[in-house]
Amino acid sequence: MSKTTIKQRCPAVIPKVFSIVLIASTCVAVEPLRLDRFYPPVIVAGEATTITAEGKFPTWPVSVVGGTEGFSAAATAESGKIEITSSVDTKPGVAWIRLYDQHAASSLVPLLIETTSALPEVEPNNRLSEAGKIELPQIVYGRLEKSGDIDTFRCVVKAGQTLVVSAVANAWLKSPMDPILQLVDGAGNVLVQSDDVRGLDPQLVHHVEHDGELFVRLFAFPEVPTGTIGYAGAPSFVYVLRFTSGPFVDHALPLANPANDRVEPKLFGWNLDEDAVGTTSVVPELKSETTWVPGALGWQVATMIENAT
């Protein structure tokens, strides 16, 4: 081919290539928002709370949808901050929340609702000597933020009590961890170890024989095992712990209830009165109902089955 022919053809190619590059750059200019989690991952009914939405948000403020009866959420002027308001009548359970802007919407992300005060864990608390004191009943939230992290708590117990400590992490909060709970005495002797009770989440129950102090340790391994031997941690390892020596609802049967022929749930747990009656709230759009006992920790979410025979 002659040099003249090459010069004649090249100018026709350049505008086409330029157009393709221009279109491609326009298509990737807007990055979609991504909502990973909320922190704290729990709120208390009847309290106004500002939580942090963790993820990526190219534009702010965003719009907020989801929640439950007596619950509202809205983005503040500060990037990543969501203001939550709820009435004292807001039912315990899970609120599913989505954020969206003019370009995209996030997936639904859970936020726990409780009726007992919730406090953050305080670092450092790896050792028994650094353990944060818990006043029963109490809800504590935190995160195992780095490899080797252990969160430790201490509580005063009395002989004859039944102590329940229940973790919420992988099952509801989708934290990518396999948590372990240990109950130890002041010398560090392990009295109870719990793993994989509610899915991957642990829950320990201990009948107290002597007055004194007991310590609870929380640590974790990755949800998906790796070649690393040791305790794992990451910003995504968020959790909620429920501590009580009072009434606790472990679950209610049936686990699924026909919408057209409901069965009153039967309660199971610890420290419950024989005549304890469960209260149920229904979320039609999620086809679920939550059962709990006023004054008790713990609740059960059941699936509603439509047109059951």
Side-chain angles (χ1 to χ4, degrees):
M1 183 179 291
S2 67
K3 293 183 179 180
T4 304
T5 304
I6 293 174
K7 291 181 180 179
Q8 289 174 346
R9 291 186 177 182
C10 285
V13 174
I14 293 174
K16 293 181 181 179
V17 174
F18 178 77
S19 298
I20 293 172
V21 173
L22 180 61
I23 293 171
S25 63
T26 302
C27 292
V28 298
V30 178
E31 182 182 4
L33 66 81
R34 189 190 77 238
L35 174 61
D36 296 328
R37 70 194 66 86
F38 294 113
Y39 196 84
V42 58
I43 66 161
V44 180
E47 296 182 1
T49 309
T50 299
I51 62 175
T52 300
E54 298 183 351
K56 290 186 177 180
F57 310 102
T59 61
W60 194 272
V62 296
S63 297
V64 186
V65 293
T68 185
E69 185 178 354
F71 173 104
S72 64
T76 69
E78 183 179 356
S79 181
K81 300 298 183 181
I82 305 290
E83 186 174 18
I84 306 291
T85 56
S86 62
S87 70
V88 293
D89 297 324
T90 301
K91 310 301 187 293
V94 185
W96 292 95
I97 300 174
R98 190 191 309 275
L99 306 184
Y100 68 94
D101 59 19
Q102 65 269 36
H103 301 292
S106 74
S107 58
L108 289 169
V109 171
L111 180 66
L112 302 187
I113 302 173
E114 298 286 358
T115 55
T116 299
S117 63
L119 299 175
E121 54 121 354
V122 178
E123 295 284 353
N125 57 3
N126 270 35
R127 301 179 177 86
L128 297 188
S129 59
E130 300 169 334
K133 187 176 181 180
I134 300 298
E135 299 288 347
L136 302 175
Q138 185 66 67
I139 292 173
V140 177
Y141 61 86
R143 71 172 101 210
L144 300 171
E145 194 157 9
K146 57 185 179 181
S147 297
D149 201 359
I150 302 172
D151 286 350
T152 311
F153 310 90
R154 63 186 176 95
C155 50
V156 176
V157 293
K158 296 183 178 180
Q161 291 181 330
T162 298
L163 175 67
V164 182
V165 184
S166 183
V168 183
N170 182 272
W172 282 113
L173 298 178
K174 307 305 177 185
S175 299
M177 66 183 191
D178 183 357
I180 311 290
L181 279 174
Q182 286 184 341
L183 183 68
V184 304
D185 61 19
N189 299 307
V190 178
L191 306 177
V192 182
Q193 178 166 306
S194 177
D195 183 18
D196 299 352
V197 173
R198 304 177 68 85
L200 292 182
D201 290 343
Q203 179 173 282
L204 62 84
V205 180
H206 178 67
H207 181 72
V208 180
E209 296 182 354
H210 307 285
D211 293 358
E213 281 189 334
L214 292 177
F215 296 81
V216 174
R217 293 194 294 220
L218 175 71
F219 52 90
F221 300 100
E223 178 183 17
V224 179
T226 66
T228 301
I229 299 176
Y231 302 151
S236 58
F237 281 28
V238 298
Y239 65 83
V240 171
L241 292 180
R242 301 156 168 165
F243 294 81
T244 188
S245 58
F248 183 86
V249 177
D250 178 73
H251 65 282
L253 295 178
L255 298 178
N257 224 338
N260 58 346
D261 188 19
R262 287 190 66 262
V263 177
E264 287 301 316
K266 184 177 181 180
L267 299 171
F268 297 86
W270 291 273
N271 306 317
L272 294 171
D273 294 334
E274 292 185 3
D275 57 351
V277 177
T279 300
T280 302
S281 62
V282 176
V283 184
E285 57 269 27
L286 297 179
K287 297 181 180 179
S288 68
E289 63 179 27
T290 303
T291 300
W292 76 98
V293 173
L297 289 185
W299 34 261
Q300 170 70 50
V301 176
T303 301
M304 293 174 58
I305 305 173
E306 295 184 349
N307 302 321
T309 57

